[in-house]
Amino acid sequence: MKLPVIKHLTQFIEDNDEDYIVETIETLEALTEVSSLKDEELDVIGELISNMYGAIEVNKMIKEGTPKKEAVNGFMKRVLGSIDK
């Protein structure tokens, strides 16, 4: 996951609507079923999907009252903590 991408997508959700991100995730997930995709291409799609899910999670935290900066940092700490385990 890339923090700058998650921040940008979170701002996109605030400016527009979360539905755009959800629909994009669905589209990317459908693309993963293309049998001719190479592993590198699947990795890129997977990274995009994970960043989008991250932005949705950060947006949820913001809606619950967490300040934006704190929500982003808290989310990344959770992600990094789960990777270390």
Side-chain angles (χ1 to χ4, degrees):
M1 292 189 169
K2 303 282 185 192
L3 185 59
V5 175
I6 291 174
K7 285 181 179 179
H8 187 81
L9 289 170
T10 301
Q11 186 61 52
F12 179 87
I13 291 170
E14 289 178 16
D15 294 344
N16 298 283
D17 193 321
E18 186 175 301
D19 289 341
Y20 288 109
I21 299 297
V22 171
E23 291 170 1
T24 302
I25 290 170
E26 291 170 356
T27 302
L28 290 171
E29 287 175 342
L31 278 174
T32 63
E33 297 171 12
V34 175
S35 61
S36 62
L37 286 178
K38 297 176 182 150
D39 288 343
E40 300 84 22
E41 294 166 327
L42 287 171
D43 289 344
V44 170
I45 292 171
E47 181 72 17
L48 290 169
I49 291 170
S50 67
N51 283 315
M52 289 179 191
Y53 275 123
I56 289 172
E57 182 66 26
V58 169
N59 187 58
K60 178 181 169 189
M61 294 166 68
I62 293 169
K63 284 182 179 178
E64 292 171 351
T66 306
K68 186 176 182 176
K69 185 175 181 177
E70 189 179 319
V72 171
N73 290 335
F75 175 76
M76 289 308 292
K77 284 180 186 176
R78 254 187 19 227
V79 168
L80 293 174
S82 68
I83 293 172
D84 290 338
K85 293 180 181 179

